[in-house]
Structures are given as C-alpha cells and as structure tokens.
Amino acid sequence: MLLQETTEKQPVLFHFPNLIWKKIRGCRICIVHTAFIPNIVQTKDVGCCLSSAGAAYQGVFQNPMASPDVLGASSGASFGAALAILAGLGNQGTTLSAFFWSLATVVLVYLVGQRAPGDRVLNLVLAGMVISSLFTAATSYLKLVADPTNQLPEITYWLMGSLSGTRLADVARILPAMAAGLLPLFLLRWKLNLLTLGDDEARAMGVNAPRLRFLTVVCATLVTAAETAGIKEGDNPHVWFSAKVRNNTADAITAAYQKADPSHKDDYAKLNKEWHAKEDQLESKIKDASAKTKDVPYAATESVAWYLADDLGMKDATPTGYAQASANESEPTPSDIKAFQDALKGGSIKMLVFNTQEANSTADQITGVAKSANVPIVELTEQMPKEYTNLLDWMSALVDQFAKA
C-alpha cells in the first residue's frame, strides 16, 4: 500500500509528498496499460486494415498480387506527410495532410482511369502506376530541398513508419475512419467474391460491377489512409517533471481519499494545501530561474527532463534524428551522432542534459564533445535519487542545476 497505517490523530496522508512521487512514478508500473496494450491494439488494427484493403483490391482487380500501392494511396500519403513536415505543420497537420493526399491520389487515379478508352480495370492499374510514380518523384524532390539537419531526418523517419509511443487516444482517433471503411467491405464481402469471376458474370448475378468497384476502392483506400496517417509519436512519459502533472495528481489523490474517508476530509484538504504551498515555492523558484534559462537552446541525450526544461522556458535543440532514435530506444545513425556533435561544436547548443542512468558509448561521445566545446552539462536521473526524501526537494535541486549551468 502507498499509505501507511494511521491513528485517529495522524491522518493517512501524513507522508503526502512521498505519496505524490510514488503515485506519479506509478505511471511506469502502468506502462503495460498505457504503452504496450495500445501498441498491440494499434498493430492489430494496422494488420486488419491493410489485409482487408489488400483482399478488396485483389477482388476488384482480379489479381492476387494487387495491394493498396496499386492506386497510389501510400505514395500520396507519403507526399502529403513530407509536404506538411516541410511546411512545419506539426504532428496533427502531418497526419491530416497524409490522410487528405492519400485519398486525393486515389480520386485522381480513378478519374484518369475512367476517361481513358479500353478496359477499365487495366486503365485503373496503369493510371495508378503513373500517378504513384509522379507522387514518389515529388516526395523525392521534397526530401532534396528539405533541411538536412532537421526536416530530412523527420521525413525519412515518417516514411519508415513506427508504432512506438502509441497511446489509447491515438487508437480511438482513427477508429471512426477505420470502421467507415471496414464495415462496408464486410457488408459487401459476397459481392466482392463475384467480382473475381469477371464483370460479365457479376452482372449476370445482378451486381453493378463499376459501382461496386468504385465503392470498394473508396473503402479500401479509406482504411489504408487511416492507418497510414494515424501513426504518430506519443507524449513524453516522464510526467513527474511537469508542474501541471504534479498539481493535478495531488488534487486527484486528495479527492479520492476525501471520498473514501469523509471523516478525515478536512485533514486531506489541509495536507493538499500544504503540498500546493510547497509546489508554489518550487514554481516561484522555476520562474526566477527562467530569467536566466528562458530561450536557452539545450540538447539532451534522452528527453527525461523535457517538461522541466519547458517550464524553465528553454528551447529543445536536440537534433531530430537523434531525438527520435532515443525516443524509440534504438541506436542513432552515424549521421545523427555527427549532427549532434557538430551542433555542440558550432555553439548552437548552450547546455547538455545527460541522463546518467542510460550511460553508453554514444552518450560518452556526446558528453566528450560537450566538454571539449565547454558546453555545460546537467547530469540527472529519471528516478528520484536516494539522497532526496521527497519529489519537490529533488525538483528544486534540479532547478538549481539548470540555473547554474
């Protein structure tokens, strides 16, 4: 239990500061529910959608080799994402742009295929190959003109795809589009089987082949676009560095215990008030320190203290490729490491944040360059060190380190 046994004179929240730390740190214990399960569900959804879309395309084109790439859905999504990244539209803008251009590409392919004379199915395939090649070339051009330090690695990473960092909110966000595409495909499944026999045979069975083909292509493209565009990075999990999260957690714990133990309601309110008084002192200290740290560009070997640095008004200048590799717990590429080292040598990074719990050869290279370039290093850990008795004391010490660096 998080709470210690109590007497009538000592309310159960006697160790309230430690309780807040343990409660927030409990997010790590719940990682199975907040990270692993969403990843598993999202992976299942991606497989379900892409396999359903593939089966639908194979029925429409009467070819077991057909796939969502045939009509350019994937190349359109790639172009849309690269365009959004180049324009600096952020994660949400990139997702919407990829989704829109995926659908727009298929619509364009369909219009071109319908206007060409001859076999309509063959025309759709040929139009898809041509327009898909055009969008692939356009994406290559966007990569050519992108900033090689930040934008190009981000575009490349997006094109590679990742399900890491998926949250339940991400899963819920794409469910409507996924259902809108899968449900019609499920209802039309027997008619799709007739399309494999050919248009004449399907027409003899009372099926309008062109209309069914159009509806199938739209639905299959919808689920493909939804799953392609719905993949994004999750939020930073080290929430105990955030003043907002600490305050909200304290209030949530207080409300929960007031409800469970109404007889000590005033005691809980008093302890909550004492907590907020100490938190206010910490936030006042952060505000004073931000006079020195505001807009200071920093980089981190891991994004452990991102929330604290954000509260201090600092700017995260960690090279995108390195940051993404660190977030995905993968090895950064040699070019990512070089970009980091060049930024330290060039003076664009004024402070390095180093997580000593994750020391490795790559981190040693980065810290070595920082020392030689006289870039101050703030060393910290993602969990509270043993020498501190509560969360706020630890945060206060970290604020001092940032201010002195």
Side-chain angles (χ1 to χ4, degrees):
M1 293 179 62
L2 292 177
L3 301 177
Q4 297 187 358
E5 294 298 329
T6 167
T7 67
E8 293 182 359
K9 296 182 179 180
Q10 179 173 302
V12 292
L13 289 181
F14 182 76
H15 297 283
F16 193 73
N18 286 334
L19 176 61
I20 299 298
W21 158 240
K22 292 177 181 179
K23 189 67 175 178
I24 298 177
R25 190 181 59 180
C27 293
R28 297 178 64 83
I29 300 174
C30 297
I31 194 171
V32 171
H33 302 286
T34 60
F36 293 162
I37 289 180
N39 268 345
I40 293 171
V41 173
Q42 186 80 320
T43 302
K44 174 187 68 64
D45 289 345
V46 170
C48 175
C49 288
L50 295 182
S51 61
S52 298
Y57 277 119
Q58 289 165 16
V60 166
F61 297 111
Q62 302 168 26
N63 190 326
M65 299 299 291
S67 70
D69 294 333
V70 170
L71 297 187
S74 298
S75 59
S78 299
F79 171 78
L83 187 65
I85 292 171
L86 202 64
L89 299 183
N91 286 335
Q92 190 68 21
T94 301
T95 298
L96 293 175
S97 179
F99 186 82
F100 169 79
W101 282 101
S102 180
L103 295 179
T105 303
V106 174
V107 170
L108 181 60
V109 169
Y110 193 85
L111 292 176
V112 173
Q114 289 297 303
R115 289 182 175 274
D119 185 270
R120 290 187 175 183
V121 174
L122 180 60
N123 289 340
L124 278 177
V125 173
L126 293 177
M129 293 174 62
V130 172
I131 294 178
S132 178
S133 298
L134 288 175
F135 276 98
T136 299
T139 302
S140 298
Y141 175 76
L142 293 179
K143 293 171 67 176
L144 180 65
V145 300
D147 179 5
T149 303
N150 296 315
Q151 293 175 329
L152 181 58
E154 188 173 354
I155 292 173
T156 303
Y157 180 81
W158 196 97
L159 295 178
M160 291 174 62
S162 173
L163 288 170
S164 64
T166 301
R167 298 292 181 263
L168 287 175
D170 303 326
V171 177
R173 182 163 50 87
I174 66 169
L175 282 179
M178 184 183 74
L182 286 178
L183 184 59
L185 290 178
F186 177 76
L187 296 176
L188 295 172
R189 62 192 184 281
W190 67 272
K191 292 185 178 181
L192 291 176
N193 289 334
L194 295 179
L195 278 184
T196 62
L197 302 176
D199 285 8
D200 292 337
E201 288 77 2
R203 191 177 299 110
M205 297 292 290
V207 174
N208 187 325
R211 182 184 301 171
L212 177 60
R213 183 173 292 112
F214 174 78
L215 181 60
T216 302
V217 167
V218 169
C219 293
T221 301
L222 183 62
V223 295
T224 301
E227 288 300 337
T228 302
I231 300 170
K232 75 176 189 66
E233 305 254 358
D235 295 331
N236 190 310
H238 303 94
V239 293
W240 49 91
F241 287 89
S242 167
K244 180 179 179 181
V245 170
R246 292 193 299 271
N247 280 313
N248 290 343
T249 303
D251 292 339
I253 291 175
T254 301
Y257 278 99
Q258 285 178 332
K259 182 178 180 180
D261 184 17
S263 62
H264 287 103
K265 183 176 181 179
D266 292 339
D267 293 324
Y268 300 133
K270 180 181 178 181
L271 289 170
N272 180 269
K273 185 177 180 180
E274 292 174 358
W275 165 269
H276 280 292
K278 294 179 180 179
E279 178 68 39
D280 288 343
Q281 292 178 4
L282 174 59
E283 291 183 29
S284 177
K285 188 174 187 178
I286 291 175
K287 183 178 180 180
D288 293 340
S290 65
K292 298 180 180 179
T293 59
K294 184 175 177 58
D295 294 329
V296 172
Y298 78 97
T301 57
E302 286 194 353
S303 58
V304 171
W306 185 91
Y307 290 109
L308 178 58
D310 187 59
D311 288 341
L312 288 166
M314 302 177 70
K315 292 184 177 180
D316 189 355
T318 309
T320 303
Y322 186 98
Q324 289 173 339
S326 175
N328 286 289
E329 298 184 356
S330 60
E331 288 295 323
T333 65
S335 60
D336 293 334
I337 298 174
K338 185 178 184 302
F340 205 152
Q341 294 173 330
D342 290 345
L344 288 168
K345 295 175 182 177
S348 59
I349 295 174
K350 303 301 182 182
M351 184 187 302
L352 178 66
V353 180
F354 173 45
N355 177 18
T356 57
Q357 283 186 262
E358 295 294 337
N360 52 48
S361 59
T362 299
D364 290 342
Q365 293 181 51
I366 298 299
T367 54
V369 172
K371 290 176 181 177
S372 63
N374 294 320
V375 175
I377 301 175
V378 173
E379 295 185 352
L380 48 76
T381 57
E382 58 185 296
Q383 293 192 2
M384 186 170 67
K386 295 180 179 179
E387 60 263 31
Y388 297 103
T389 58
N390 65 70
L391 177 61
L392 295 182
D393 289 343
W394 177 33
M395 291 295 109
S396 179
L398 288 178
V399 172
D400 290 336
Q401 289 187 54
F402 274 91
K404 293 177 182 178

mmCIF file with all atom_site columns, all heavy atoms in Angstrom, residues 254-263 268:
data_model
loop_
_atom_site.group_PDB
_atom_site.id
_atom_site.type_symbol
_atom_site.label_atom_id
_atom_site.label_alt_id
_atom_site.label_comp_id
_atom_site.label_asym_id
_atom_site.label_entity_id
_atom_site.label_seq_id
_atom_site.pdbx_PDB_ins_code
_atom_site.Cartn_x
_atom_site.Cartn_y
_atom_site.Cartn_z
_atom_site.occupancy
_atom_site.B_iso_or_equiv
_atom_site.pdbx_formal_charge
_atom_site.auth_seq_id
_atom_site.auth_comp_id
_atom_site.auth_asym_id
_atom_site.auth_atom_id
_atom_site.pdbx_PDB_model_num
ATOM 1  N N   . THR A 1 254 ? -6.098  13.721 -3.385 1.00 0.00 ? 254 THR A N   1
ATOM 2  C CA  . THR A 1 254 ? -6.881  14.313 -2.306 1.00 0.00 ? 254 THR A CA  1
ATOM 3  C C   . THR A 1 254 ? -8.361  14.018 -2.475 1.00 0.00 ? 254 THR A C   1
ATOM 4  O O   . THR A 1 254 ? -9.042  13.596 -1.527 1.00 0.00 ? 254 THR A O   1
ATOM 5  C CB  . THR A 1 254 ? -6.657  15.832 -2.259 1.00 0.00 ? 254 THR A CB  1
ATOM 6  O OG1 . THR A 1 254 ? -5.272  16.098 -2.065 1.00 0.00 ? 254 THR A OG1 1
ATOM 7  C CG2 . THR A 1 254 ? -7.447  16.458 -1.116 1.00 0.00 ? 254 THR A CG2 1
ATOM 8  N N   . ALA A 1 255 ? -8.881  14.230 -3.664 1.00 0.00 ? 255 ALA A N   1
ATOM 9  C CA  . ALA A 1 255 ? -10.301 13.996 -3.922 1.00 0.00 ? 255 ALA A CA  1
ATOM 10 C C   . ALA A 1 255 ? -10.670 12.530 -3.709 1.00 0.00 ? 255 ALA A C   1
ATOM 11 O O   . ALA A 1 255 ? -11.738 12.222 -3.158 1.00 0.00 ? 255 ALA A O   1
ATOM 12 C CB  . ALA A 1 255 ? -10.650 14.422 -5.356 1.00 0.00 ? 255 ALA A CB  1
ATOM 13 N N   . ALA A 1 256 ? -9.779  11.619 -4.117 1.00 0.00 ? 256 ALA A N   1
ATOM 14 C CA  . ALA A 1 256 ? -10.059 10.196 -3.983 1.00 0.00 ? 256 ALA A CA  1
ATOM 15 C C   . ALA A 1 256 ? -10.142 9.787  -2.511 1.00 0.00 ? 256 ALA A C   1
ATOM 16 O O   . ALA A 1 256 ? -11.038 9.039  -2.103 1.00 0.00 ? 256 ALA A O   1
ATOM 17 C CB  . ALA A 1 256 ? -8.984  9.379  -4.697 1.00 0.00 ? 256 ALA A CB  1
ATOM 18 N N   . TYR A 1 257 ? -9.218  10.309 -1.687 1.00 0.00 ? 257 TYR A N   1
ATOM 19 C CA  . TYR A 1 257 ? -9.225  9.934  -0.277 1.00 0.00 ? 257 TYR A CA  1
ATOM 20 C C   . TYR A 1 257 ? -10.319 10.646 0.510  1.00 0.00 ? 257 TYR A C   1
ATOM 21 O O   . TYR A 1 257 ? -10.837 10.113 1.495  1.00 0.00 ? 257 TYR A O   1
ATOM 22 C CB  . TYR A 1 257 ? -7.850  10.183 0.328  1.00 0.00 ? 257 TYR A CB  1
ATOM 23 C CG  . TYR A 1 257 ? -6.906  9.050  0.033  1.00 0.00 ? 257 TYR A CG  1
ATOM 24 C CD1 . TYR A 1 257 ? -5.980  9.146  -1.005 1.00 0.00 ? 257 TYR A CD1 1
ATOM 25 C CD2 . TYR A 1 257 ? -6.959  7.878  0.762  1.00 0.00 ? 257 TYR A CD2 1
ATOM 26 C CE1 . TYR A 1 257 ? -5.132  8.098  -1.294 1.00 0.00 ? 257 TYR A CE1 1
ATOM 27 C CE2 . TYR A 1 257 ? -6.107  6.825  0.477  1.00 0.00 ? 257 TYR A CE2 1
ATOM 28 C CZ  . TYR A 1 257 ? -5.195  6.930  -0.549 1.00 0.00 ? 257 TYR A CZ  1
ATOM 29 O OH  . TYR A 1 257 ? -4.363  5.888  -0.846 1.00 0.00 ? 257 TYR A OH  1
ATOM 30 N N   . GLN A 1 258 ? -10.666 11.840 0.085  1.00 0.00 ? 258 GLN A N   1
ATOM 31 C CA  . GLN A 1 258 ? -11.798 12.510 0.728  1.00 0.00 ? 258 GLN A CA  1
ATOM 32 C C   . GLN A 1 258 ? -13.088 11.738 0.491  1.00 0.00 ? 258 GLN A C   1
ATOM 33 O O   . GLN A 1 258 ? -13.955 11.659 1.369  1.00 0.00 ? 258 GLN A O   1
ATOM 34 C CB  . GLN A 1 258 ? -11.932 13.939 0.195  1.00 0.00 ? 258 GLN A CB  1
ATOM 35 C CG  . GLN A 1 258 ? -10.886 14.899 0.751  1.00 0.00 ? 258 GLN A CG  1
ATOM 36 C CD  . GLN A 1 258 ? -11.015 16.284 0.157  1.00 0.00 ? 258 GLN A CD  1
ATOM 37 O OE1 . GLN A 1 258 ? -11.474 16.461 -0.976 1.00 0.00 ? 258 GLN A OE1 1
ATOM 38 N NE2 . GLN A 1 258 ? -10.609 17.300 0.931  1.00 0.00 ? 258 GLN A NE2 1
ATOM 39 N N   . LYS A 1 259 ? -13.204 11.158 -0.667 1.00 0.00 ? 259 LYS A N   1
ATOM 40 C CA  . LYS A 1 259 ? -14.386 10.367 -0.977 1.00 0.00 ? 259 LYS A CA  1
ATOM 41 C C   . LYS A 1 259 ? -14.373 9.036  -0.235 1.00 0.00 ? 259 LYS A C   1
ATOM 42 O O   . LYS A 1 259 ? -15.418 8.556  0.242  1.00 0.00 ? 259 LYS A O   1
ATOM 43 C CB  . LYS A 1 259 ? -14.460 10.120 -2.491 1.00 0.00 ? 259 LYS A CB  1
ATOM 44 C CG  . LYS A 1 259 ? -15.690 9.352  -2.939 1.00 0.00 ? 259 LYS A CG  1
ATOM 45 C CD  . LYS A 1 259 ? -15.716 9.203  -4.451 1.00 0.00 ? 259 LYS A CD  1
ATOM 46 C CE  . LYS A 1 259 ? -16.954 8.428  -4.897 1.00 0.00 ? 259 LYS A CE  1
ATOM 47 N NZ  . LYS A 1 259 ? -16.990 8.269  -6.386 1.00 0.00 ? 259 LYS A NZ  1
ATOM 48 N N   . ALA A 1 260 ? -13.186 8.435  -0.112 1.00 0.00 ? 260 ALA A N   1
ATOM 49 C CA  . ALA A 1 260 ? -13.086 7.141  0.547  1.00 0.00 ? 260 ALA A CA  1
ATOM 50 C C   . ALA A 1 260 ? -13.138 7.256  2.067  1.00 0.00 ? 260 ALA A C   1
ATOM 51 O O   . ALA A 1 260 ? -13.578 6.337  2.757  1.00 0.00 ? 260 ALA A O   1
ATOM 52 C CB  . ALA A 1 260 ? -11.790 6.443  0.127  1.00 0.00 ? 260 ALA A CB  1
ATOM 53 N N   . ASP A 1 261 ? -12.687 8.412  2.590  1.00 0.00 ? 261 ASP A N   1
ATOM 54 C CA  . ASP A 1 261 ? -12.624 8.585  4.044  1.00 0.00 ? 261 ASP A CA  1
ATOM 55 C C   . ASP A 1 261 ? -13.152 9.973  4.411  1.00 0.00 ? 261 ASP A C   1
ATOM 56 O O   . ASP A 1 261 ? -12.377 10.875 4.769  1.00 0.00 ? 261 ASP A O   1
ATOM 57 C CB  . ASP A 1 261 ? -11.174 8.408  4.496  1.00 0.00 ? 261 ASP A CB  1
ATOM 58 C CG  . ASP A 1 261 ? -11.016 8.484  6.005  1.00 0.00 ? 261 ASP A CG  1
ATOM 59 O OD1 . ASP A 1 261 ? -12.035 8.346  6.723  1.00 0.00 ? 261 ASP A OD1 1
ATOM 60 O OD2 . ASP A 1 261 ? -9.878  8.706  6.475  1.00 0.00 ? 261 ASP A OD2 1
ATOM 61 N N   . PRO A 1 262 ? -14.462 10.184 4.338  1.00 0.00 ? 262 PRO A N   1
ATOM 62 C CA  . PRO A 1 262 ? -15.049 11.516 4.576  1.00 0.00 ? 262 PRO A CA  1
ATOM 63 C C   . PRO A 1 262 ? -14.745 12.073 5.964  1.00 0.00 ? 262 PRO A C   1
ATOM 64 O O   . PRO A 1 262 ? -14.696 13.296 6.142  1.00 0.00 ? 262 PRO A O   1
ATOM 65 C CB  . PRO A 1 262 ? -16.549 11.268 4.406  1.00 0.00 ? 262 PRO A CB  1
ATOM 66 C CG  . PRO A 1 262 ? -16.650 10.027 3.588  1.00 0.00 ? 262 PRO A CG  1
ATOM 67 C CD  . PRO A 1 262 ? -15.492 9.188  3.990  1.00 0.00 ? 262 PRO A CD  1
ATOM 68 N N   . SER A 1 263 ? -14.527 11.210 6.942  1.00 0.00 ? 263 SER A N   1
ATOM 69 C CA  . SER A 1 263 ? -14.292 11.683 8.305  1.00 0.00 ? 263 SER A CA  1
ATOM 70 C C   . SER A 1 263 ? -12.988 12.474 8.428  1.00 0.00 ? 263 SER A C   1
ATOM 71 O O   . SER A 1 263 ? -12.825 13.272 9.350  1.00 0.00 ? 263 SER A O   1
ATOM 72 C CB  . SER A 1 263 ? -14.274 10.497 9.282  1.00 0.00 ? 263 SER A CB  1
ATOM 73 O OG  . SER A 1 263 ? -13.205 9.610  8.962  1.00 0.00 ? 263 SER A OG  1
ATOM 74 N N   . TYR A 1 268 ? -7.269  15.939 4.812  1.00 0.00 ? 268 TYR A N   1
ATOM 75 C CA  . TYR A 1 268 ? -6.771  15.800 3.444  1.00 0.00 ? 268 TYR A CA  1
ATOM 76 C C   . TYR A 1 268 ? -6.656  17.151 2.761  1.00 0.00 ? 268 TYR A C   1
ATOM 77 O O   . TYR A 1 268 ? -5.691  17.442 2.060  1.00 0.00 ? 268 TYR A O   1
ATOM 78 C CB  . TYR A 1 268 ? -7.683  14.878 2.628  1.00 0.00 ? 268 TYR A CB  1
ATOM 79 C CG  . TYR A 1 268 ? -7.806  13.490 3.191  1.00 0.00 ? 268 TYR A CG  1
ATOM 80 C CD1 . TYR A 1 268 ? -9.047  12.888 3.321  1.00 0.00 ? 268 TYR A CD1 1
ATOM 81 C CD2 . TYR A 1 268 ? -6.680  12.780 3.579  1.00 0.00 ? 268 TYR A CD2 1
ATOM 82 C CE1 . TYR A 1 268 ? -9.172  11.608 3.840  1.00 0.00 ? 268 TYR A CE1 1
ATOM 83 C CE2 . TYR A 1 268 ? -6.781  11.503 4.096  1.00 0.00 ? 268 TYR A CE2 1
ATOM 84 C CZ  . TYR A 1 268 ? -8.035  10.920 4.232  1.00 0.00 ? 268 TYR A CZ  1
ATOM 85 O OH  . TYR A 1 268 ? -8.152  9.665  4.745  1.00 0.00 ? 268 TYR A OH  1
#
